[in-house]
Amino acid sequence: SGSGGGSVVFAPGVGGPRDYRLAEPSDEDFDEGDEGHFVPPEPPPLPESDVTSRFAWLAVVGGPVLMLVAVLLQWEMTWWLTTVCIGGFLGGFATLVARMNAEDDESDDPGRGAVV
């Protein structure tokens, strides 16, 4: 009776398929026709934000975070704490929406769409 194992035994000195290693590519592998390795360009710097948008984002994120901290620490939810949390979120959100660029919604730009 043979063993019912599913393992494969290779001859001594013969490596299995997982023992195969690829050679590391070097610069000598390229000839004159190859352009070499791709190096992505530096990304453009982030646009500078003004003070109003920074405070608006702080209110949008800070309001819910303050309410979550108050619930987790079991603070008493007074009227002023609730007003600061909800009012900050709504005020910051309204400020960000009001400051959105109106030109993004214009659809009469001839540069968009397919050219036939």
Side-chain angles (χ1 to χ4, degrees):
S1 298
S3 66
S7 61
V8 176
V9 178
F10 293 99
V14 176
R18 292 180 188 248
D19 294 332
Y20 180 75
R21 300 275 187 248
L22 290 174
E24 291 293 323
S26 65
D27 290 334
E28 288 81 33
D29 295 338
F30 299 107
D31 58 7
E32 294 81 28
D34 292 325
E35 295 180 13
H37 301 289
F38 173 72
V39 177
E42 286 291 321
L46 293 174
E48 291 294 323
S49 62
D50 57 347
V51 175
T52 306
S53 64
R54 286 183 185 171
F55 276 113
W57 276 111
L58 179 66
V60 166
V61 175
V65 168
L66 180 61
M67 185 171 277
L68 180 66
V69 167
V71 169
L72 290 177
L73 297 179
Q74 297 177 353
W75 291 348
E76 182 183 349
M77 290 301 290
T78 59
W79 65 270
W80 63 267
L81 181 60
T82 306
T83 303
V84 167
C85 293
I86 295 175
F89 173 76
L90 293 176
F93 183 76
T95 302
L96 290 175
V97 169
R99 293 173 54 90
M100 286 174 54
N101 292 335
E103 64 245 13
D104 290 344
D105 297 333
E106 294 178 5
S107 60
D108 58 350
D109 188 0
R112 296 181 182 174
V115 178
V116 180

